[in-house]
Amino acid sequence: GSQPTWVTEHHFDQADWGYQYLTSFHWSITQFTPASMHVQPQNPIERTFSILVVVFALVGFSYLVGSITNSMSQLRSMTEDASKQFWILRRYMKYHKVPPQLSIRITRYVE
């Protein structure tokens, strides 16, 4: 006979298309999160597919976290550069005794 599958094992072959789709979607979401569900691989082909999905999910999630980390680092670097430039400007104006009113106007303009 043929090997059992998750469709036949859980009697989804008798369910309507919408329920099958939602169950498949639920399964795919659980592969990316620590959640679980009762649908499990029932034969070697399904087990292999599940392993591949988990590996690709791990790679995709790692890439996403890396991209977010890189973006945050760039944002922090830009903020630090701007703060450093304002500190240099204030120091310059203080050293050259720029009047306070003009100093405020220059700082507001540069911001």
Side-chain angles (χ1 to χ4, degrees), residues 38-63:
H38 68 282
V39 173
Q40 300 294 323
Q42 300 297 317
N43 59 52
I45 293 171
E46 290 179 351
R47 177 82 50 201
T48 303
F49 179 76
S50 294
I51 291 168
L52 289 174
V53 168
V54 169
V55 168
F56 282 115
L58 176 67
V59 171
F61 185 72
S62 299
Y63 176 78

Side-chain angles (χ1 to χ4, degrees), residues 47-101:
R47 177 82 50 201
T48 303
F49 179 76
S50 294
I51 291 168
L52 289 174
V53 168
V54 169
V55 168
F56 282 115
L58 176 67
V59 171
F61 185 72
S62 299
Y63 176 78
L64 177 67
V65 169
S67 295
I68 291 171
T69 302
N70 186 37
S71 296
M72 294 300 292
S73 295
Q74 286 178 340
L75 183 61
R76 185 175 299 126
S77 176
M78 291 183 336
T79 303
E80 287 173 3
D81 289 345
S83 295
K84 184 178 179 182
Q85 292 296 324
F86 273 109
W87 179 78
I88 291 170
L89 175 63
R90 286 191 300 271
R91 190 176 70 174
Y92 176 86
M93 289 189 291
K94 185 175 183 178
Y95 179 78
H96 291 287
K97 296 182 173 63
V98 175
Q101 195 64 21

Side-chain angles (χ1 to χ4, degrees), residues 30-41:
T30 62
Q31 302 310 299
F32 292 87
T33 64
S36 64
M37 70 177 300
H38 68 282
V39 173
Q40 300 294 323

